[in-house]
Amino acid sequence: MAILLHMPEVAANMESATIVSWAKAEGDPVAVGDALADIETDKAVIEFTAEAAGVLGRILVPAGQAAAVAAPIGVLLAPGEQAADIDALLSQAAGAGPADPATAQAAASAAVPAGAPASAAVPDEAPAPAGIASAAAAPASAPAASAPADPAGGRLFASPLARRLAAEAGLDLRGLPGSGPHGRIVKRDVRAALARPPAAAPAAAASVPAQPAAAPAVAPQAAAPAPAVPAAAEAGATRIPHSAMRRTIARRLLESKTSVPHFYLRADCRMDELLALRETINAGAPRRISVNDMIVKAAAVALAELPDMNVSWTDEALLRHAAVDISVAVATENGLITPIVRQAEGRSLSAISADIARLAQRAREGRLQPQEYQGGSFTVSNLGMHGVREFAAIINPPQAAILAVGATERRAVVDAQGQLAVASMMSVTLSVDHRAIDGALAARWLKIFRRLIEAPLGILI
């Protein structure tokens, strides 16, 4: 029988994703394990594979459009099934009456007539003129321009994606005309409202009676006052929409900086012996080892030597990790991502170097799998290659610490004999979550790390 293909939840707490491309066309045979589509999340592009065999009967969400998690994105037919079977399946899905509004919206969006363009399956993404309701999307018995909210304080009918976009932009949805089924406010309505000049924004709100001051049924984000529409930037400014990754980075960093009690420890490490050891290794190694590879290895060995630092904070308990999994910050065109070198404490320098290079390349291509960037017990962020002398990084929760690494540079120092000398020095800053790690413990770890950097044979043993 025909099977609905649903948008998978390929990452924790994922709400929606975008179909980058379909690997199969309608009518193509599909075997178990075949790649069906590439799906872009807020961190990477994931390959969506088939769990059953059949024929790709219909694509409901075309390439370039987004869909909520669990929303129908395609239909897989068994041999011998026809378009009528697709229509029956979509009608059944639309008429099942799921309790969850997001599921109901997805099922209604999928139920399109046979032969209709695939874009009709996703009214939240399909283009439409600003402010024009789609009468075809509603049943004949329903008014084409039914109000999305009860003026007396009833429920506000808007898709989850539309609510989220409105909340992020500070847009009040009350009174905004909806072009989705039964007057539901969808993404295109929010985007149209944001694109209108500021003077036009109050007009929609004036068409419905004022809400009571304490209307408990109105969603919290709808009750906030609407500031100036972000589209009204100063003359000459270029409006660059946020990518999903940039929004996620902004949200997580804000949460971390405002909810995690950071404190910072700084140390200067003498690099002469490490640089000499690296030169010796690279003279005969099959692949070149970078200074960053050696820093990651030193951090891992230090965490193994002081396991009380290899922890994560939760509200219920402190988690002490059995393995040292080092997240390595990698800059990409879309933002920062931290792929993970697993069990770094027991791996050779060459293995760590190869892993970092492979993960960094996959990160820049947007091809990381969730297991390659989710988790980790400690992060190393190195800006030394950009000439940055020192900086303080923001912790990546639920991790409890991050090491910010600056450039190696020649500086004047006082040697062991009290004489003025010149040495290669590197400044590092350790950011620590004070809920999980106290100052004395963090200082002990930083002392171990500095010892390993200045006597680097310890990281090879």
Side-chain angles (χ1 to χ4, degrees):
M1 61 177 294
I3 301 172
L4 271 179
L5 301 174
H6 297 277
M7 177 66 77
E9 185 178 14
V10 296
N13 302 318
M14 174 180 136
E15 296 180 358
S16 63
T18 300
I19 303 291
V20 177
S21 63
W22 283 92
K24 300 284 187 179
E26 293 183 355
D28 285 354
V30 176
V32 175
D34 278 359
L36 290 175
D38 284 339
I39 297 173
E40 183 181 21
T41 70
D42 58 357
K43 291 287 188 181
V45 176
I46 308 298
E47 189 177 78
F48 176 45
T49 58
E51 297 181 356
V55 174
L56 184 58
R58 186 175 298 173
I59 292 174
L60 302 177
V61 179
Q65 293 191 2
V69 169
I73 60 174
V75 179
L76 193 65
L77 295 177
E81 290 184 312
Q82 305 296 327
D85 299 294
I86 300 177
D87 298 334
L89 177 65
L90 296 179
S91 298
Q92 180 182 5
D100 177 39
T103 306
Q105 173 72 4
S109 301
V112 294
S119 59
V122 280
D124 219 14
E125 296 290 331
I132 303 299
S134 175
S141 59
S146 62
D150 180 359
R155 180 181 172 189
L156 183 74
F157 291 98
S159 72
L161 181 57
R163 289 179 184 271
R164 190 184 73 190
L165 293 176
E168 291 171 349
L171 177 67
D172 191 343
L173 290 179
R174 289 173 297 177
L176 186 69
S179 61
H182 305 282
R184 184 185 180 94
I185 299 172
V186 293
K187 183 175 76 172
R188 63 167 171 258
D189 304 318
V190 176
R191 287 187 169 174
L194 295 177
R196 287 196 290 267
S207 64
V208 295
Q211 296 284 348
V218 179
Q221 61 265 35
V229 177
E234 66 272 15
T238 301
R239 183 178 172 85
I240 304 173
H242 299 307
S243 66
M245 177 182 284
R246 178 52 59 189
R247 289 185 185 278
T248 300
I249 290 172
R251 174 178 55 82
R252 286 181 57 82
L253 291 182
L254 179 63
E255 290 174 358
S256 175
K257 195 62 175 175
T258 56
S259 65
V260 175
H262 288 60
F263 73 91
Y264 308 94
L265 300 178
R266 179 183 173 278
D268 293 326
C269 304
R270 189 159 180 166
M271 299 288 288
D272 297 285
E273 290 195 27
L274 184 141
L275 295 176
L277 177 61
R278 173 176 174 262
E279 186 175 347
T280 301
I281 293 173
N282 285 339
R287 63 173 296 116
R288 291 188 62 82
I289 304 299
S290 71
V291 171
N292 192 61
D293 299 333
M294 302 182 78
I295 290 170
V296 169
K297 176 65 175 180
V301 173
L303 287 167
E305 189 171 328
L306 192 61
D308 285 346
M309 277 286 296
N310 193 40
V311 296
S312 292
W313 172 265
T314 72
D315 291 334
E316 295 77 25
L318 188 66
L319 303 181
R320 182 186 293 166
H321 302 284
V324 178
D325 298 330
I326 302 289
S327 301
V328 181
V330 175
T332 72
E333 290 184 357
N334 294 321
L336 191 71
I337 190 168
T338 52
I340 301 166
V341 179
R342 303 284 180 182
Q343 300 180 338
E345 77 280 15
R347 302 179 66 185
S348 67
L349 268 176
S350 58
I352 289 176
S353 177
D355 217 15
I356 291 176
R358 178 184 62 83
L359 290 168
Q361 182 63 29
R362 288 174 58 80
R364 295 186 181 102
E365 294 172 352
R367 292 288 175 179
L368 287 175
Q369 296 295 312
Q371 66 271 17
E372 293 177 314
Y373 61 81
Q374 290 181 350
S377 57
F378 186 92
T379 297
V380 172
S381 180
N382 191 342
L383 291 178
M385 67 286 295
H386 299 290
V388 175
R389 179 168 182 165
E390 60 180 279
F391 68 104
I394 299 175
I395 297 168
N396 182 23
Q399 295 178 15
I402 180 172
L403 184 70
V405 180
T408 299
E409 57 187 12
R410 301 288 284 174
R411 300 181 200 166
V413 299
V414 177
D415 62 20
Q417 289 73 40
Q419 301 298 314
L420 190 63
V422 176
S424 295
M425 302 296 294
M426 176 183 73
S427 295
V428 296
T429 303
L430 181 67
S431 303
V432 186
D433 182 349
H434 214 326
R435 298 173 302 175
I437 300 170
D438 292 331
L441 177 62
R444 286 169 56 199
W445 182 88
L446 196 54
K447 184 177 181 180
I448 296 171
F449 173 80
R450 180 180 177 182
R451 167 173 56 79
L452 291 168
I453 291 293
E454 297 185 347
L457 285 176
I459 70 176
L460 303 181
I461 299 174

